[in-house]
Amino acid sequence: MRTAVLVEPTEFQLQDRERPEPGPDDVLVAIRDVGICGSDIHYYEHGRIGDYVVDEPLVLGHESAGEVVETGENVTGITPGNRVTLEPGVPCRRCPHCKRGDYHLCEDVVFMATPPHDGSFVEYVTWPADFAYELPETVSSIEGALCEPLSVGIHACRRGDVGAGDTVLVTGGGPIGLMIVEAARAAGATNVIVTDVVPGKLGFARERGVDLAVNVTETDLEAAINEYTDGLGADVVIEASGAPPSIRSTLDVVRRGGTVVLVGLASEATVPIDVLELIDNEIDVHGSFRYKNTYDVAIDLLTDGAVDVEGIVDFQLPLDAIDDAFQRAIDPDVVKGMITIGK
Ligand SMILES: NC(=O)c1ccc[n+]([C@@H]2O[C@H](COP(=O)([O-])OP(=O)(O)OC[C@H]3O[C@@H](n4cnc5c(N)ncnc54)[C@H](O)[C@@H]3O)[C@@H](O)[C@H]2O)c1
Ligand SMILES: C[C@@H](O)[C@H](N)C(=O)O
């Protein structure tokens, strides 16, 4: 089967690998669509993300959907021909985190495209059947693949307890920021504001109907939020850029008693914050790591037409053109590139 392997930073090799056999609890999936995530781009360009180092050839890709072609003997409920999306992180199911329900915090998780685990830029993947979710006819394969970044958005909104009538500020208008916007609206937020530093990203966020888009290189964010909220501040601020100045600014723009959710992975290990400001204003600050129990919700939201994920896709290219696809995806104006396999 055709497999795109990152053999060195910025170098993919298309290899022919043996098609895997599903285990008794697995499904064998013919992969159809895979999104290119920021983490794939980071591994492609730099060969590492923090402590995760690509020191062996690695298959990237973890936002994936496809069609079941075979099932293991214990699998019920999914049959060949079903279209599915794959949740890319499979936990150990036995550790204290798994047992208390925080399976996304499992330290032994097998997460696609995170060294040393291969991902889904490949024709076939075997995956535990309970981490494969059937897609209804009305949900496309691309939407299925994008359940992954949408899940990041849903989890972040849950962490921020976003609710009806909230004013939510999302800092960073990349794919994750835009998925947070979708999830926040679906959760009932009535005012959604996005910041960025790239004019194209802000224009796109406006086209997608955000209530306010702020270029923080030109506009004082605190003044803009004060004006927009009559001096109150945003109910929930969800940081999705990872830029230290943006992380620092969250406490200036959240209302007293509000919530800050940190999603963006800081490019610096330490970002100073004013602890007294945090205490005096009784601000809740939450980290948000990947997601848990979001795939069914993502599919329901897509089925109901409550979110738009396909609209963030800039281009689709076949697996053979993976080099071109990554070169295009690096452009700061590009939001989401997709790889199509087996069509
Ligand atoms: N916590 C998690 O589970 C999780 C999951 C996925 C991604 N992430 C992280 O979330 C962040 C966003 O992911 P992405 O794929 O959308 O990344 P991205 O790089 O495509 O988007 C980040 C956006 O932030 C903008 N930006 C840069 N500096 C800014 C600033 N000072 N103020 C406002 N915006 C600024 C960029 O122009 C870009 O549009 C990344 O840091 C990524 O590593 C975290
Ligand atoms: C959650 C996922 O999208 C992210 N890129 C990660 O590896 O954590």
Side-chain angles (χ1 to χ4, degrees):
M1 62 174 185
R2 283 177 310 137
T3 310
V5 185
L6 185 74
V7 288
E8 293 287 338
T10 72
E11 192 186 334
F12 283 111
Q13 219 174 58
L14 278 170
Q15 297 180 358
D16 189 20
R17 288 192 176 175
E18 201 150 315
R19 182 169 137 167
E21 292 292 328
D25 299 310
D26 298 339
V27 288
L28 177 68
V29 177
I31 299 294
R32 291 284 176 265
D33 290 288
V34 188
I36 300 175
C37 171
S39 61
D40 295 319
I41 297 172
H42 210 86
Y43 284 127
Y44 170 76
E45 283 191 292
H46 308 290
R48 66 182 303 152
I49 297 179
D51 291 340
Y52 292 103
V53 182
V54 185
D55 43 22
E56 296 286 333
L58 184 74
V59 180
L60 297 176
H62 62 271
E63 302 174 352
S64 32
E67 187 179 317
V68 175
V69 290
E70 213 180 309
T71 57
E73 63 202 45
N74 297 338
V75 175
T76 55
I78 296 186
T79 52
N82 286 164
R83 293 181 316 115
V84 291
T85 171
L86 300 180
E87 180 170 353
V90 177
C92 78
R93 307 167 194 260
R94 288 180 298 275
C95 71
H97 305 298
C98 286
K99 288 180 85 169
R100 65 182 291 155
D102 287 335
Y103 72 86
H104 63 311
L105 301 180
C106 173
E107 290 176 34
D108 289 322
V109 68
V110 171
F111 202 95
M112 284 187 190
T114 301
H117 307 293
D118 279 339
S120 54
F121 288 135
V122 58
E123 281 182 293
Y124 295 92
V125 165
T126 51
W127 207 242
D130 58 334
F131 280 74
Y133 302 82
E134 190 179 349
L135 297 174
E137 258 178 41
T138 52
V139 175
S140 74
S141 172
I142 288 182
E143 289 175 315
L146 297 181
C147 283
E148 202 278 342
L150 179 58
S151 285
V152 175
I154 292 168
H155 187 67
C157 288
R158 283 178 175 166
R159 294 286 289 156
D161 201 16
V162 173
D166 278 350
T167 294
V168 178
L169 168 64
V170 180
T171 54
I176 294 297
L178 294 177
M179 292 299 95
I180 294 169
V181 168
E182 292 300 309
R185 281 177 175 150
T190 41
N191 297 294
V192 181
I193 305 160
V194 168
T195 68
D196 208 289
V197 292
V198 176
K201 290 276 177 59
L202 292 160
F204 188 57
R206 276 186 207 104
E207 279 170 31
R208 290 177 62 83
V210 299
D211 298 284
L212 182 68
V214 182
N215 187 336
V216 291
T217 64
E218 293 169 351
T219 305
D220 179 79
L221 181 61
E222 194 174 347
I225 297 300
N226 273 333
E227 191 186 332
Y228 191 82
T229 62
D230 293 330
L232 191 64
D235 297 304
V236 185
V237 179
I238 306 186
E239 208 301 308
S241 76
S246 179
I247 296 170
R248 271 193 293 274
S249 75
T250 56
L251 296 187
D252 302 331
V253 289
V254 67
R255 72 162 161 78
R256 296 193 82 192
T259 304
V260 171
V261 180
L262 300 175
V263 178
L265 301 180
S267 51
E268 287 165 22
T270 312
V271 178
I273 55 161
D274 184 337
V275 180
L276 291 180
E277 197 183 344
L278 204 150
I279 296 166
D280 191 48
N281 292 311
E282 212 170 75
I283 295 164
D284 289 334
V285 180
H286 299 290
S288 184
F289 184 62
R290 295 176 174 163
Y291 38 77
K292 61 172 176 175
N293 302 318
T294 48
Y295 267 67
D296 285 331
V297 176
I299 292 169
D300 281 350
L301 291 175
L302 287 162
T303 307
D304 288 354
V307 289
D308 166 36
V309 299
E310 209 155 342
I312 70 167
V313 175
D314 293 288
F315 66 86
Q316 281 175 268
L317 283 172
L319 189 63
D320 296 351
I322 195 160
D323 284 300
D324 289 352
F326 270 70
Q327 284 304 319
R328 281 180 69 172
I330 286 168
D331 181 336
D333 275 323
V334 166
V335 177
K336 179 63 70 181
M338 302 288 306
I339 297 291
T340 307
I341 306 174
K343 274 183 189 152

